[in-house]
Amino acid sequence: MKFHTLKDIELWKLVADGDQTAFDHIYLTHAKDLYKYGFRFTQDTELIKDVIQDVFIHIWESKNVLFINKSIKFYLFSCFRREVIKRVNVACKYESIEDYHSKIS
């Protein structure tokens, strides 16, 4: 199937119905952009990779109750941004900003 020709609502319906290949297509289409986007918030590449993985795990596990009718990309970037900011704030809460920056440099 040519997933790139489908509208987001059609693609999401496939994922919601359990189509692993459609889900893989979403991952392959957006993971690299999410990775680049993560550098706006932190230089910690492992944190960025972990958040990407967690976002996609959450989406797969919640596919039956999520309803994405407009933009899968917008949904992914929103989830990713919220989670990265939350984790960076938690890291900063328990250590000085200098310690955090020296650790990720």
Side-chain angles (χ1 to χ4, degrees):
M1 180 177 280
K2 296 182 179 181
F3 295 113
H4 64 280
T5 62
L6 298 176
K7 294 180 182 178
D8 279 1
I9 195 164
E10 297 167 324
L11 184 57
W12 184 252
K13 172 124 178 50
L14 292 172
V15 172
D17 291 340
D19 188 326
Q20 179 71 44
T21 309
F23 182 75
D24 294 346
H25 171 76
I26 292 171
Y27 177 84
L28 293 172
T29 301
H30 298 291
K32 186 185 273 188
D33 290 335
L34 286 170
Y35 184 78
K36 290 181 208 173
Y37 183 58
F39 284 100
R40 292 184 180 188
F41 306 100
T42 181
Q43 300 299 308
D44 186 342
T45 58
E46 292 305 313
L47 174 65
I48 294 169
K49 290 176 189 177
D50 286 346
V51 172
I52 292 170
Q53 181 178 9
D54 290 346
V55 165
F56 278 96
I57 288 170
H58 165 73
I59 289 172
W60 182 254
E61 290 176 346
S62 304
K63 67 185 178 298
N64 298 325
V65 295
L66 286 177
F67 183 70
I68 301 174
N69 63 348
K70 292 192 181 198
S71 173
I72 294 171
K73 181 176 181 176
F74 179 78
Y75 183 82
L76 289 171
F77 275 69
S78 296
C79 291
F80 177 80
R81 180 182 62 246
R82 261 191 316 273
E83 188 63 25
V84 166
I85 290 170
K86 182 172 81 174
R87 292 189 192 187
V88 167
N89 286 340
V90 167
C92 288
K93 182 178 179 179
Y94 294 107
E95 60 189 342
S96 73
I97 196 75
E98 292 83 16
D99 291 340
Y100 179 74
H101 283 294
S102 67
K103 190 167 81 174
I104 64 172
S105 298

